[in-house]
Amino acid sequence: MRKIKVGVLGAYRGKQMINFCLGTDNAVLVAICDKNETTLEKQKNEHSDLNIAYYTDFDEFINHE
């Protein structure tokens, strides 16, 4: 089965979607974007073992693969 790639906008408000993607077999979390660097850093620390891109700039985020 192919997995869909998901990018989450909002590291705090998007926490439910982040958890869903990490817990399902049919999606893979590829990027998280948040302008709040502290909140984004918490996600980086929590998921440092995963291949997730982190962005503070929306334009860079939206152009992610």
Side-chain angles (χ1 to χ4, degrees), residues 25-52:
D25 291 333
N26 57 357
V28 61
L29 182 63
V30 296
I32 301 173
C33 179
D34 198 302
K35 66 180 181 180
N36 184 315
E37 292 183 26
T38 303
T39 304
L40 195 61
E41 192 64 35
K42 287 180 185 177
Q43 288 297 326
K44 283 183 188 180
N45 292 335
E46 217 173 296
H47 308 295
S48 61
D49 58 331
L50 301 176
N51 189 24
I52 301 171

Side-chain angles (χ1 to χ4, degrees), residues 5-25:
K5 295 178 181 179
V6 178
V8 175
L9 179 61
Y12 180 76
R13 287 184 180 225
K15 185 76 171 143
Q16 292 297 326
M17 180 55 79
I18 292 168
N19 290 337
F20 173 79
C21 291
L22 296 174
T24 189
D25 291 333

